[in-house]
Amino acid sequence: MDYSNQSNISNLKITIFQAYLFWENVEKNLQNLALRLSMGIKEKTDLIVLPEMFNTGFSMNAEVLAEEMNGTTMRWMRNMAEKYECVVTGSLIIKENNHYYNRLIWMLPDGAFAHYDKRHLFSLGQEDKNYTPGNDKVIVTLKGWKIRLSICYDLRFPVWLRNQNEEYDILLTIASWPDIRSAHWNALIPARAIENQSYVIAANRVGHDGKEVYHSGHSQCIDPMGKTVYYKPEDEDLYTFSISYEDLLKTRQNFPFLRDADNFKII
């Protein structure tokens, strides 16, 4: 791999919002998130990361809560991206062609966007009975960085997230991961970073949901060597940190493990 044309890529500033969410209350969530962002964003950032189903909580009530792609939450995301002059990302329930999706939106300040539909639906929580899985892996770019999009349960499936041919630099996952399995969360995130020689940025929520499931956060960023850049358990948190492209390149140059990986196709 020739890294010479990548050396001029600048560092990236990331803001994770580990938020408390109000159960199935879109209006209250959007108002609270906007207020918290206005109070907490103290410096220029490139990306604001919100949790899975940030406007409703992780609900199976898709028929009632789903929005169209031109709905209230999409407009809110565009307003936030424009206001803070950065990308805003998080997932919501979308209805499209009579199907319901847990859809991650990657919203740019000019209103353009990409999206990723969650592939691995959480059968233990009946998500597979209420939503349609996505089939496409999605990689977006930001300031020269290549970012692979994923949602929560995807984290358990390393084949789906495998970094083939160094196709991405960051694995971004948003989640509603319960406290009872936080040990799994804290083990899987560094594993994905190390095996893929990428940063992993993982944003979770905090607090109880409408089914009294407790979420303890543990949002974090792990670098390609498995070291912690950011980590926050338990409390609501809005935090901005920087990640280094130079460090990423050094890791891949000094430890070229990805070159020895198996080639495969997902069927």
Side-chain angles (χ1 to χ4, degrees):
M1 184 76 175
D2 180 10
Y3 296 102
S4 59
N5 62 347
Q6 298 176 297
S7 58
N8 61 347
I9 295 177
S10 62
N11 292 352
L12 204 61
K13 279 195 173 182
I14 313 291
T15 300
I16 286 183
F17 191 0
Q18 179 169 279
Y20 176 85
L21 303 179
F22 298 94
W23 185 246
E24 297 185 346
N25 192 328
V26 174
E27 182 178 4
K28 194 170 184 178
N29 278 315
L30 296 185
Q31 288 177 351
N32 181 63
L33 291 166
L35 176 63
R36 299 283 186 171
L37 288 171
S38 69
M39 296 169 59
I41 298 290
K42 304 298 186 183
E43 57 185 303
K44 181 71 175 70
T45 187
D46 299 306
L47 173 63
I48 296 171
V49 187
L50 305 174
E52 180 181 20
M53 293 191 186
F54 67 87
N55 63 337
T56 60
F58 185 64
S59 173
M60 298 302 101
N61 197 7
E63 292 187 9
V64 173
L65 297 172
E67 299 184 21
E68 305 286 340
M69 286 296 284
N70 60 351
T72 299
T73 303
M74 287 290 288
R75 294 195 298 272
W76 180 90
M77 292 185 77
R78 177 171 183 173
N79 289 339
M80 292 299 104
E82 182 179 19
K83 178 178 180 179
Y84 295 105
E85 299 180 317
C86 69
V87 173
V88 175
T89 192
S91 84
L92 62 151
I93 304 168
I94 289 291
K95 182 180 181 180
E96 190 173 75
N97 299 323
N98 293 317
H99 291 273
Y100 298 103
Y101 298 93
N102 183 350
R103 179 167 290 179
L104 184 154
I105 303 296
W106 179 264
M107 179 65 72
L108 278 65
D110 64 1
F113 61 87
H115 75 265
Y116 165 73
D117 293 329
K118 188 177 183 181
R119 176 178 173 92
H120 297 95
L121 301 179
F122 187 54
S123 57
L124 191 62
Q126 304 296 307
E127 189 179 15
D128 60 324
K129 301 294 193 299
N130 293 279
Y131 296 91
T132 299
N135 291 313
D136 299 324
K137 66 179 181 181
V138 178
I139 296 173
V140 294
T141 59
L142 180 60
K143 294 178 66 175
W145 292 73
K146 295 171 291 184
I147 304 172
R148 175 74 185 272
L149 305 180
S150 65
I151 303 176
C152 202
Y153 195 41
D154 286 331
L155 195 62
R156 289 187 179 273
F157 301 93
V159 174
W160 174 241
L161 298 178
R162 185 63 176 169
N163 191 7
Q164 292 183 284
N165 302 313
E166 299 184 18
E167 63 188 356
Y168 66 80
D169 308 310
I170 300 169
L171 173 60
L172 174 71
T173 189
I174 58 169
S176 184
W177 197 286
D179 176 69
I180 195 171
R181 291 184 292 280
S182 61
H184 298 187
W185 170 263
N186 287 325
L188 292 168
I189 292 168
R192 298 294 87 84
I194 293 166
E195 71 193 9
N196 292 303
Q197 293 194 305
S198 75
Y199 287 93
V200 176
I201 296 169
N204 198 19
R205 61 159 295 178
V206 291
H208 290 86
D209 66 16
K211 296 183 178 181
E212 291 303 310
V213 175
Y214 178 63
H215 303 78
S216 55
H218 300 271
S219 296
Q220 55 196 276
C221 174
I222 305 297
D223 78 5
M225 290 296 290
K227 296 179 181 178
T228 301
V229 177
Y230 163 74
Y231 175 72
K232 182 66 175 180
E234 301 299 338
D235 301 318
E236 186 173 73
D237 194 40
L238 179 65
Y239 188 78
T240 300
F241 55 89
S242 181
I243 57 175
S244 167
Y245 202 85
E246 182 180 0
D247 288 350
L248 173 73
L249 292 186
K250 285 181 179 178
T251 298
R252 291 179 176 176
Q253 288 171 332
N254 293 336
F255 306 101
F257 303 143
L258 290 178
R259 299 178 191 174
D260 300 325
D262 300 303
N263 290 319
F264 62 90
K265 293 181 180 180
I266 296 176
I267 300 174

